[in-house]
Amino acid sequence: FNGEARKLFCHKLVMATPAYIGARLLGTVSQELAALLNEVPYASIASVPLGYRVEDIPMELDGFGFLIPRGTGYRILGTIWNSSLFEGRSPEGWALLTTYIGGATDPEATRLSDEELREAVHSDLIRTLGVKGLPKALPVTRWERALPQYEIGHATRLKSIDKVLGEIPGLAIAGNYLHGISLGDCLENGSRIAESLFEN
């Protein structure tokens, strides 16, 4: 709490962290659980925000954005139209677009320089949205362990995790590495956990 270490005693605890952080924190509680959480693989991604003049985007940005399936010839994973979703995200006459690049099929992307990432994103936005002119460059962010991967064996790992958790009264874990990666999946899983904790 504000840089100060404190002890908190409770009967029930929900740990909502990435798998590798949970493994580190729970190592003294259960080495078996920590080992299972450490097995969850992650892919890296870079977040590349670019600002464009509205007049340089020849289509209406009326929506959330778009995702691009792999194998279609584009390097980017998808783009969120921030300024269409939330007020105050860009100055008048400008649009803020945040594009994600990298993932399990393109691990080299996050090792590119900021300028190389911007060029790759801008090139794909020309092809997808038909943007014109040069964008306003904004800070690039990289996450080395961003997206948990649901590889073969994931269901078996979940069963093992549930078995160990069943032996630790009052402890629950939540996160996008368990039962779905989307925000909706996490909310649904969180609701189930909350209901089960109140029932027991």
Side-chain angles (χ1 to χ4, degrees), residues 5-186:
R6 298 183 187 178
K7 286 185 178 181
L8 176 66
F9 296 92
C10 58
H11 296 289
K12 298 177 182 180
L13 174 68
V14 179
M15 182 164 289
T17 67
Y20 53 91
I21 298 295
R24 192 173 72 213
L25 295 174
L26 294 171
T28 57
V29 176
S30 168
Q31 292 185 356
E32 183 180 3
L33 179 58
L36 288 166
L37 296 181
N38 264 328
E39 289 176 1
V40 177
Y42 279 79
S44 60
I45 61 169
S47 169
V48 184
L50 295 175
Y52 290 92
R53 293 186 183 277
V54 173
E55 62 195 42
D56 288 337
I57 305 174
M59 64 171 290
E60 185 85 17
L61 296 181
D62 183 19
F64 178 87
F66 61 90
L67 297 174
I68 296 183
R70 300 297 80 199
T72 55
Y74 295 93
R75 192 163 192 183
I76 62 175
L77 299 170
T79 299
I80 295 175
W81 301 341
N82 305 76
S83 50
S84 296
L85 290 170
F86 309 105
E87 293 183 4
R89 296 303 170 102
S90 61
E92 187 70 27
W94 287 79
L96 173 61
L97 311 180
T98 299
T99 299
Y100 297 92
I101 185 169
T105 60
D106 190 9
E108 301 84 13
T110 54
R111 293 192 281 273
L112 297 174
S113 69
D114 288 4
E115 192 53 40
E116 288 172 325
L117 285 170
R118 292 186 186 108
E119 288 176 2
V121 167
H122 179 61
S123 175
D124 276 358
L125 291 180
I126 290 173
R127 297 168 61 200
T128 53
L129 299 179
V131 297
K132 303 170 184 177
L134 294 177
K136 173 76 172 175
L138 297 165
V140 171
T141 304
R142 294 169 178 78
W143 287 279
E144 288 305 314
R145 290 190 281 188
L147 300 173
Q149 302 298 295
Y150 286 36
E151 297 178 345
I152 293 173
H154 180 71
T156 301
R157 183 185 299 115
L158 288 183
K159 289 179 181 178
S160 298
I161 289 172
D162 287 340
K163 180 178 180 297
V164 177
L165 282 173
E167 300 168 356
I168 307 173
L171 177 64
I173 58 175
N176 64 350
Y177 62 91
L178 294 166
H179 303 287
I181 197 168
S182 73
L183 178 59
D185 291 327
C186 292

